Amino acid sequence: MSYTLPPVKEKVGFLGLGVMGEPMALNLVRAGTPLVVWNRTPGKAEVLRAAGAEAAVSPAEVFERARVVLVMLADEAAMDSVLGRGTPGFGALVSGHTIVHMGTTSPGYSRALEADVLAAGGNYVEAPVSGSRKPAEAAELVAMLAGREDAVEAVRPLLAPMCRETVVCGPVPDALLMKLAVNLFLITMVTGLAEAVHFARRHGLDSDRLLAVLDAGPMASSVSRVKGAKLVREDFAVQASIANVLENNRLIAEAARESGTASPLLDVCHALYRETLELGHDRDDMAAVVRAIEARTAETVVGRR
């Protein structure tokens, strides 16, 4: 889906041009958003520069040029480092700015970051997204927003070029809690699909026929179609990496423990993704979890001999 929006007169900042950040930022530029971007590895900004964005040499330069700054960084440590959180420079950086946190961190971290940003005279909006690189490229992400109502409503239109839908979830950290609930379903669903493909192969069934049955049935989805094809073709080019999914799994498990919530399926997935990472597939797509399932099968076969 593409968007044609009236040109945004005021510059918007974007920090982090990784697997998700790059296509998200590109969609903003293509929609006419005046964008100033920064990435820790400068070379990654060249694609955005070629598309019409300005490339900054530092996060501080982004904040100098833009009042609204979208942040799509890997984790909490990266966010704290880039924003200078815990240093005297943090307040000067974020004061008068709106920080839009689009990555996935713990809800507790986001709540604390919001308090620090507000105390420094800035605004803060949670806006994690559901979707991996392919939906990001197609502007088919779903954003979940949380924060003060006025800040959320001001930011919401800016996200339209990247998202099929934006859903307001309430106060911080409800958007991140919603994202974790969505990811719990995603992780268990893809793991189940990987086990189904493995089961079919072990019984000599035609994998393409399995996909045809799944695609024709009530369980078909864009996720099942993409991940099913990757599993059958053993194409593990990254859309959402094993390492990233394992980190998401950890965040969900911690939130579950803190609230006393049982998560039996997630706990099994947590073990499988950890085993997949230990097998050396940390940078492969999450569909590579099938490798851990295959390894368990091999252990079972050996044990029976």
Side-chain angles (χ1 to χ4, degrees):
M1 183 182 296
S2 61
Y3 293 84
T4 302
L5 300 177
V8 180
K9 293 182 180 179
E10 195 167 339
K11 285 188 176 69
V12 175
F14 200 107
L15 303 177
L17 302 174
V19 171
M20 293 290 289
E22 181 190 78
M24 291 166 66
L26 278 171
N27 282 327
L28 286 173
V29 172
R30 289 164 179 165
T33 305
L35 203 66
V36 53
V37 304
W38 174 86
N39 193 74
R40 192 179 300 275
T41 305
K44 288 197 172 182
E46 289 306 313
V47 173
L48 271 299
R49 193 200 300 271
E54 298 176 17
V57 299
S58 68
E61 187 179 346
V62 173
F63 279 87
E64 287 172 6
R65 300 190 198 178
R67 285 194 311 112
V68 177
V69 180
L70 312 183
V71 183
M72 193 63 179
L73 296 170
D75 52 33
E76 298 167 9
M79 287 190 65
D80 284 348
S81 174
V82 168
L83 296 177
R85 189 164 174 235
T87 73
F90 173 79
L93 197 69
V94 304
S95 178
H97 293 78
T98 298
I99 308 300
V100 185
H101 173 21
M102 302 196 73
T104 305
T105 61
S106 73
Y109 170 85
S110 184
R111 187 189 291 114
L113 179 58
E114 179 195 39
D116 288 350
V117 170
L118 295 179
N123 280 317
Y124 181 82
V125 175
E126 273 182 355
V129 293
S130 177
S132 57
R133 185 174 177 92
K134 191 176 180 68
E137 291 172 341
E140 289 288 327
L141 298 170
V142 177
M144 293 147 277
L145 290 86
R148 292 182 172 181
E149 185 176 352
D150 57 343
V152 167
E153 290 308 314
V155 164
R156 197 174 186 184
L158 296 177
L159 308 184
M162 301 180 286
C163 301
R164 182 180 69 237
E165 194 74 48
T166 58
V167 180
V168 178
C169 297
V172 172
D174 284 2
L176 272 165
L177 286 168
M178 187 70 74
K179 170 68 184 292
L180 296 184
V182 169
N183 278 6
L184 196 161
F185 178 48
L186 171 67
I187 292 167
T188 55
M189 176 173 59
V190 173
T191 307
L193 179 61
E195 187 169 337
V197 170
H198 178 63
F199 176 90
R201 280 181 172 154
R202 290 286 300 175
H203 287 83
L205 300 178
D206 183 276
S207 296
D208 287 323
R209 193 164 296 155
L210 170 63
L211 292 187
V213 172
L214 289 173
D215 288 349
M219 294 175 292
S221 69
S222 58
V223 172
S224 72
R225 291 188 178 98
V226 170
K227 298 304 185 187
K230 290 179 79 65
L231 285 160
V232 168
R233 310 290 176 243
E234 298 189 328
D235 167 21
F236 300 135
V238 68
Q239 294 174 341
S241 73
I242 289 291
N244 179 255
V245 173
L246 184 59
E247 174 63 12
N248 273 262
N249 207 315
R250 180 186 68 79
L251 292 172
I252 301 166
E254 287 180 356
R257 301 297 173 264
E258 288 174 5
S259 62
T261 303
S263 55
L265 293 179
L266 181 78
D267 295 343
V268 171
C269 292
H270 201 162
L272 285 168
Y273 282 91
R274 185 177 61 249
E275 291 165 25
T276 310
L277 184 141
E278 291 169 352
L279 288 169
H281 298 284
D282 54 313
R283 296 186 180 182
D284 287 341
D285 187 74
M286 67 184 298
V289 71
V290 72
R291 295 305 192 214
I293 299 170
E294 292 167 349
R296 288 195 183 192
T297 292
E299 291 173 2
T300 301
V301 171
V302 170
R304 287 180 177 176
R305 290 175 181 168

